[in-house]
């Protein structure tokens, strides 16, 4: 009977903790293998990574964190502020679920989020293939040192791959111009690309996305580039 009462009290305490979480976004999940540690919910403010919520876990693998956000943006789930224990995801209003393992914190992470997160997962799947191919070119270039003709050939292939990646990213963003991932990709994947690609994405954005955090920042970035030219 005593064990039942203790168990019931623990359950009520857990429910109470969950009810204390306030904010338009709730991040819940499980970290298998975690015995003890502090989880931080973080996001970028200007150029600084700041913590907006945290929870210390001791003997529990489940967690709940929250924040108030105006528009979808990238967040980070960090364990003990370790750089190798950090999961990036697209935060949005509603509930985001994250499942992972302690030994492969970011590598094994499965994020169930809203529209932008699903699109980010899709984009990452394809862009990984571009990056793997680029690694092959880097290896080939290293192995052909001293052979100018072969090095030039490999460099041309690498440049062509980069252009294909830029065009893929642009097309992906334009196709999803009604989602905040579009200006986000322009800012993070095409910041050093031709200004015409950035303009193409910016001009395709819906009114709502233009008014979002990344939409406004993209407009500012394009203006900064044009003012320097």
């Amino acid at each position: 009977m005593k064990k039942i009462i203790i168990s019931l009290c623990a359950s009520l305490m857990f429910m109470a903790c969950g009810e204390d979480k306030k904010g338009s976004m709730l991040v819940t999940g499980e970290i298998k293998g975690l015995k003890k540690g502090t989880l931080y919910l973080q996001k970028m403010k200007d150029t600084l990574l700041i913590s907006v919520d945290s929870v210390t876990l001791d003997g529990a693998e489940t967690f709940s964190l929250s924040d108030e956000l105006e528009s979808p943006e990238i967040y980070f789930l960090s364990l003990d502020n370790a750089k190798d224990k950090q999961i990036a995801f697209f935060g949005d209003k509603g509930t985001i679920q994250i499942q992972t393992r302690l030994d492969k914190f970011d590598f094994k992470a499965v994020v169930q989020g809203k529209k932008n997160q699903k699109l980010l997962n899709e984009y990452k799947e394809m862009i990984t293939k571009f990056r793997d191919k680029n690694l092959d070119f880097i290896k080939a270039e290293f192995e052909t040192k001293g052979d100018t003709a072969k090095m030039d050939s490999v460099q041309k292939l690498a440049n062509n791959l980069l252009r294909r990646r830029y065009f893929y990213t642009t097309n992906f963003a334009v196709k999803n111009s009604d989602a905040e991932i579009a200006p986000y990709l322009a800012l993070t994947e095409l910041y050093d690309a031709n200004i015409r690609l950035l303009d193409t994405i910016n001009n395709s954005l819906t009114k709502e996305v233009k008014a979002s955090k990344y939409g406004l920042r993209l407009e500012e970035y394009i203006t900064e580039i044009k003012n320097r030219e």
Side-chain angles (χ1 to χ4, degrees), residues 40-97:
Y40 297 90
L41 181 62
Q42 302 173 317
K43 65 180 180 181
M44 296 299 298
K45 185 174 183 180
D46 298 324
T47 58
L48 296 176
L49 185 64
I50 63 169
S51 295
V52 295
D53 197 7
S54 65
V55 60
T56 298
L57 304 177
D58 191 353
E61 295 181 339
T62 59
F63 64 89
S64 179
L65 297 161
S66 68
D67 189 31
E68 187 68 41
L69 76 168
E70 295 182 2
S71 63
E73 63 178 289
I74 291 293
Y75 278 78
F76 302 89
L77 180 67
S78 176
L79 178 60
D80 294 329
N81 273 327
K83 290 185 178 180
D84 61 336
K85 298 288 189 209
Q86 192 177 74
I87 299 168
F89 65 95
F90 230 112
D92 207 335
K93 294 181 179 180
T95 300
I96 309 292
Q97 294 182 326

